Amino acid sequence: MGIERLSTFIAGKEILPDLAISPRINSLDGSVSLPVSETSGVQLRSALRFGEESQKKVSLIPMAQRIEDARFLMSEYSKRSADIAWGLALFRGYIAADSEWMCNVNEAWANSLDVLAEVMFASRSGIQRLPGSNDSLQWRSKGKAALFCASTMDGPPAMVTICHAMLSGTHLILRPSWRDAVTHLAYEILYENRLAHYGQLVRWPSQSDQSRVLNKQIIANVSQFLVFSSNETFRDLIKDVAEPGTDDWDEIQRRARRYGTGLPLAIVTPHTNLDSAADELIEAARLGNGRFCLSAGPVFVMRACYSELLAKLVERSKLLKGGDPLCASSHLGCIDPTERNALIIGIKSFGGRVAYGEIHQKHMDVVILADVPQLTPCLYSEFPGTLLALIAVDNFTEVQSLALDALKKNHREAWTAVTVFGNDEEFNDIQQRLDSYRFLKTGVTARVKQLLPHQGSYFGLDLVRRSTVELNDLKVLNCDNLKEASL
């Protein structure tokens, strides 16, 4: 037990960092330093060769066995929850209670993997027989894949993607964020239990001298690659490999799938329990340090209940205390001191006034931003912290206009989620007015069910292609039959 080093896992072996020369990552407070195994070009070539051979093996494993293997991995990973909470607290600032919650959610989700397989593939075997014939629809992996993860994917969220890849029959080479101190535990479990054929973990910092070469090497040699990042990061990654407008650029785009930033939207009307609405909005903003793509941010509030809701939110935010993220009495996680000024600038750019909260040296309150203008950038710019921005509106027509305009500015086709704190009629009305991947009638937006697709798309389903298998009658036709058939 415990985390003392960050290994990579390549070609069936654990690659330990050299304590004398390996780079190190430091915790947010500088109290802990961990040596990191950085992947070389030679090691990456070995990973790609191993991935090719492993893909042949994984594609032959029946779905039932893949489900059991993924369930085992998720269960064993959750047993390391104390280490996971420690790593996420020191290196990402998450409070231990949030990390424990994520592990518990994943363990419960593991018990429903067979249901997930049926939801994604319309079958628990990956093969759907077509009625009235022997024909079938089958979902087969497109081939070995690379996954580039953002910092918000560290640990339990990454576990979801790893298990989706296992269900899809895809060998996954995962490159986590450089400061990810907990996802490697999943690969310890795979390698210790002779399940290395499901995936590998490679690692290099984005700003290193070799980053561009390694990015190009892995992208050019996998059948598909997926990226959790901003638009800008994704474009920069592709530019490392090919020039825009070239045939190589087009070919890379064909193999790429990006999961970008997203924003949830909350709407509060007078026809709701404002105490419950305030509780759930605060929790949705606080959970996971506000860094989830489903962390609450912009809130449309009808003017008739604006002042009352504002007072309740301020009252509840004042009750939350910062402190040691490993302490049970802490409600608020830590921030990276190097990001403090950027957070302050971000809040100022949204407009309005701070009704409560501030960004301290080591943590930030759930900041309540009042009198936010209707054309605020917070409707299309994700904020990496604990913030609620209250925007006053008169009616749903106004909400519809502002929300649709924000989607265009965010280059999105739908909101990540829309939560309506109102009555049944209002909940049904908003579903007809707005496009969203998820609608909630009240609730904590960030407490997502793991069976839910990410921004409308199942990660595992994106790794496969659907094939039809048609079994025709093999009668030999004579010339007359062929002639008749051609008429």
Side-chain angles (χ1 to χ4, degrees), residues 227-407:
V227 184
F228 283 85
S229 73
S230 65
N231 292 336
E232 295 75 18
T233 299
F234 180 72
R235 284 195 292 264
D236 290 343
L237 179 64
I238 302 301
K239 287 179 183 177
D240 284 348
V241 184
E243 289 295 324
T246 64
D247 290 342
D248 288 341
W249 175 273
D250 293 338
E251 197 276 332
I252 287 171
Q253 292 280 2
R254 178 187 62 79
R255 293 186 287 114
R257 179 73 166 86
R258 186 182 74 84
Y259 300 87
T261 56
L263 277 173
L265 178 67
I267 304 167
V268 182
T269 82
H271 306 115
T272 190
N273 184 318
L274 291 179
D275 286 307
S276 295
D279 289 338
E280 292 174 351
L281 286 169
I282 289 289
E283 178 65 0
R286 185 210 63 77
L287 194 64
N289 248 11
R291 288 179 170 266
F292 296 156
C293 65
L294 284 168
S295 295
V299 185
F300 285 129
V301 186
M302 296 296 173
R303 296 185 193 278
C305 62
Y306 190 96
S307 297
E308 186 178 356
L309 178 68
L310 174 60
K312 292 179 182 298
L313 291 172
V314 169
E315 177 186 4
R316 284 157 175 76
S317 186
K318 288 180 178 180
L319 298 175
L320 303 179
K321 304 299 180 184
D324 182 353
L326 291 172
C327 181
S329 62
S330 298
H331 305 110
L332 301 169
C334 299
I335 63 171
D336 186 336
T338 64
E339 296 178 357
R340 182 171 180 270
N341 287 338
L343 292 172
I344 293 173
I345 293 171
I347 289 178
K348 288 181 178 179
S349 72
F350 293 160
R353 63 178 178 86
V354 175
Y356 175 77
E358 62 180 294
I359 301 177
H360 306 275
Q361 290 298 323
K362 294 184 178 180
H363 76 277
M364 71 175 289
D365 300 315
V366 174
V367 175
I368 310 300
L369 201 57
D371 303 329
V372 179
Q374 291 189 341
L375 298 181
T376 173
C378 79
L379 285 169
Y380 51 86
S381 299
E382 194 170 15
F383 181 78
T386 49
L387 170 75
L388 289 172
L390 275 57
I391 307 161
V393 292
D394 290 314
N395 51 57
F396 276 8
T397 300
E398 201 169 34
V399 168
Q400 180 178 11
S401 175
L402 294 169
L404 291 177
D405 183 62
L407 282 180

Side-chain angles (χ1 to χ4, degrees), residues 37-58:
S37 175
E38 185 174 354
T39 303
S40 68
V42 172
Q43 291 170 336
L44 185 54
R45 286 193 291 273
S46 176
L48 290 165
R49 288 193 297 269
F50 181 79
E52 193 65 33
E53 292 304 312
S54 295
Q55 180 59 49
K56 297 175 184 177
K57 181 176 182 178
V58 172

